[in-house]
Amino acid sequence: MEFSRRREDPSVKGLRSGFGHQVRSNSPSNPSIGFGSSVRDASLHQYLSPEHAKAMSGNNSQGPVYKVYSSMGQQPESTAAYPGTMTFGTAQRLPKPGKSGVPGPGHYKTSPALGEQKESKRSTSPRAVFGTATRAGQEKVYLDGELMKTYYGKESAPPGSYNVPGALGRQVASTKESAPGIKIGTSLRALDYTVMRSKDMPGAGQYNTYRAVGKQPLSSKKTLPAHSFGKSTRDASKKTFISKEHEKQAYGIGSPGPGTAKPYTSSGSQQLSTKHTNPTWGFGTSKRLKDYNNDAPGPGTYYA
């Protein structure tokens, strides 16, 4: 009973054989060689080389039992040409003379050769007709420039029927430019100077004049640049960057004093990312050496 309990204990490592298929992934399985199960006839079908195939020619043929197709009639193979065949027709013979159903000479309808042809294979000949236009309409047909000059004035209006607009004032035709017109104004005349001064005109003290010095409120007047005393302190002026050589003179002015800086220790874990933390050694917490008499498994616990 004690031997069976030790054998089923999952904590005990089992020993496997080094031959055959290995269960553990870190132990490779050696290749195995076995006897083949193919027959001798199947080995003859393997292709080795063209010379070997010539020596084995005829082994895979079907023998003298060939199926030969006839050269007469329809050929089943596409490489053999199919000769044309002639058969007897199954149409009826010509009817006997005088039998009803055969049209006579007067039953055929022939188309006339004159006029418009209905069949597309026959062309219709051109034809000439008498025109229906009048002499007045014929005179309006344009032939050439010299002939048209003989018709000048026949259809034009008489001298008294033209409406000629005046050349003064607004021109109706877009090709004529209207000359600028001057007219007498309709506004009232100026009143007496005394009345205007007493009622409508402002006095001398009512005009608002702007000074020429300082900021100009009118956009037509240019404001001259003004100079003033600066409001910055001496400490702020020292921080103004002028050049690298000038900046070296201010080294240490804005830095904290020796007692205000908090230095970091160089031993142990470094808080700054720019400092490298040195490796440390400590005392281990694992158990001492095992008791081989009590802890080691016995000979029967191995699964071989």
Side-chain angles (χ1 to χ4, degrees):
M1 294 299 291
E2 184 179 359
F3 174 75
S4 61
R5 285 196 302 271
R6 289 186 178 181
R7 186 174 183 180
E8 295 177 358
D9 190 0
S11 62
V12 179
K13 298 182 180 179
L15 299 179
R16 298 287 181 177
S17 175
F19 296 95
H21 180 70
Q22 299 298 316
V23 180
R24 302 176 62 185
S25 60
N26 55 3
S27 298
S29 299
N30 295 326
S32 58
I33 303 172
F35 294 96
S37 58
S38 62
V39 297
R40 293 181 180 270
D41 295 338
S43 63
L44 298 177
H45 293 260
Q46 296 180 358
Y47 178 80
L48 300 180
S49 63
E51 289 75 11
H52 183 268
K54 291 179 182 179
M56 303 296 292
S57 60
N59 293 339
N60 299 329
S61 62
Q62 60 182 352
V65 188
Y66 291 100
K67 184 178 181 181
V68 182
Y69 296 98
S70 176
S71 60
M72 306 293 293
Q74 186 176 4
Q75 300 296 316
E77 296 181 355
S78 60
T79 57
Y82 176 67
T85 57
M86 293 175 288
T87 59
F88 293 97
T90 58
Q92 297 181 359
R93 298 287 181 176
L94 295 176
K96 296 180 179 180
K99 188 179 180 180
S100 60
V102 179
H107 288 200
Y108 293 98
K109 185 178 180 181
T110 57
S111 303
L114 300 177
E116 183 179 1
Q117 301 296 316
K118 297 182 179 179
E119 297 181 2
S120 60
K121 61 182 180 179
R122 299 185 181 277
S123 60
T124 302
S125 302
R127 57 183 179 177
V129 296
F130 292 98
T132 57
T134 59
R135 293 179 180 270
Q138 187 66 23
E139 292 178 353
K140 297 180 181 179
V141 178
Y142 180 83
L143 299 178
D144 56 4
E146 298 297 332
L147 182 60
M148 292 294 103
K149 292 180 181 180
T150 59
Y151 294 99
Y152 285 173
K154 289 187 177 182
E155 296 182 358
S156 61
S161 60
Y162 291 100
N163 185 13
V164 181
L168 301 177
R170 186 172 180 271
Q171 300 297 314
V172 181
S174 61
T175 56
K176 304 293 183 180
E177 183 181 358
S178 299
I182 303 173
K183 60 182 181 179
I184 302 174
T186 58
S187 61
L188 299 176
R189 297 287 182 178
L191 300 178
D192 185 58
Y193 181 74
T194 306
V195 178
M196 293 175 59
R197 185 177 58 182
S198 60
K199 292 183 179 181
D200 300 332
M201 296 183 63
Q206 296 180 358
Y207 291 98
N208 187 11
T209 58
Y210 300 98
R211 59 179 181 175
V213 180
K215 185 178 181 181
Q216 301 296 315
L218 300 177
S219 60
S220 58
K221 302 295 184 180
K222 182 179 179 181
T223 301
L224 298 177
H227 304 276
S228 60
F229 293 98
K231 299 179 181 179
S232 61
T233 59
R234 294 180 180 271
D235 296 337
S237 62
K238 292 181 180 180
K239 299 178 182 179
T240 304
F241 179 80
I242 300 176
S243 63
K244 293 184 178 180
E245 300 297 333
H246 183 270
E247 190 178 12
K248 293 179 181 180
Q249 300 177 3
Y251 283 173
I253 295 179
S255 61
T260 58
K262 184 179 180 181
Y264 296 97
T265 178
S266 59
S267 303
S269 177
Q270 300 297 314
Q271 299 179 2
L272 300 177
S273 59
T274 57
K275 302 296 183 180
H276 179 68
T277 301
N278 295 324
T280 56
W281 290 269
F283 292 98
T285 58
S286 62
K287 294 182 179 181
R288 296 293 180 175
L289 297 178
K290 297 182 179 180
D291 188 2
Y292 291 101
N293 296 330
N294 299 327
D295 298 339
T301 58
Y302 295 98
Y303 177 71

